[in-house]
Amino acid sequence: MKNHIPKVLILIIVIIMSSCSTTSKVNAKSEVKRVGMVIKLKPEFIDEYKALHADSNPGVRDLLTKYGIRNFSIFLHELEPGEFYEFGYYEYVGEDFEGDMEKMAHEKRTIEWLKVCDPMQIPLEGATSWTTMEQVYFNQ
């Protein structure tokens, strides 16, 4: 079983989101950084993964907000029988992306959250987690 992104997935993501991994001015002090990313999900964990990310589960939502992440969405699609891919999208509205991501990575709840979620996912070949995607189109 290969662990690559089929071309049809890229097309679907471009059509659905129309924005990934770029920045645009919000005001004189800050920018919005748009990030799109992809990873594979093990089929046996789909129900558990959905439950963890349900609106009723607070999870790490407040940490995302604390570190400037807004409009975080995860989409799931079965591209071929038994081949499930997740597409994640978020907007970063802070002033120090790398610094904020580093701080969030060291939060105890982030570490515990990833201990649960990471084993459910299969990173793409050559990656250790979600793969950030290149933006090919944006319309505001």
Side-chain angles (χ1 to χ4, degrees):
M1 175 171 26
K2 288 187 177 179
N3 196 10
H4 66 281
I5 306 173
K7 289 180 183 178
V8 69
L9 174 62
I10 294 171
L11 178 60
I12 290 168
I13 292 167
V14 169
I15 292 169
I16 292 174
M17 296 307 297
S18 299
S19 59
C20 311
S21 197
T22 189
T23 59
S24 65
K25 295 285 183 190
V26 173
N27 60 44
K29 292 175 106 179
S30 65
E31 295 183 341
V32 172
K33 177 179 180 70
R34 291 173 177 81
V35 178
M37 48 196 192
V38 65
I39 198 164
K40 215 170 167 182
L41 184 63
K42 295 177 183 176
E44 64 269 25
F45 291 111
I46 290 174
D47 291 338
E48 184 178 353
Y49 192 87
K50 285 181 178 181
L52 281 170
H53 292 81
D55 289 341
S56 60
N57 184 1
V60 293
R61 293 172 194 269
D62 63 318
L63 293 178
L64 296 172
T65 302
K66 176 180 177 180
Y67 292 106
I69 295 178
R70 306 291 186 271
N71 297 320
F72 197 140
S73 300
I74 298 175
F75 299 85
L76 178 66
H77 186 73
E78 184 177 17
L79 289 176
E80 297 178 22
E83 299 287 318
F84 292 88
Y85 287 84
E86 296 177 279
F87 170 67
Y89 171 82
Y90 65 87
E91 297 169 355
Y92 172 75
V93 296
E95 296 180 20
D96 179 12
F97 180 73
E98 289 80 15
D100 284 341
M101 296 306 100
E102 182 71 21
K103 290 175 195 169
M104 186 169 64
H106 287 92
E107 291 272 0
K108 183 179 180 191
R109 278 191 299 127
T110 300
I111 293 166
E112 294 304 315
W113 180 260
L114 295 176
K115 282 182 186 177
V116 173
C117 292
D118 283 352
M120 298 179 187
Q121 300 168 320
I122 303 169
L124 302 183
E125 191 171 324
T128 58
S129 186
W130 289 83
T131 298
T132 302
M133 300 170 60
E134 174 186 358
Q135 176 187 337
V136 296
Y137 178 75
F138 175 72
N139 180 43
Q140 181 144 352

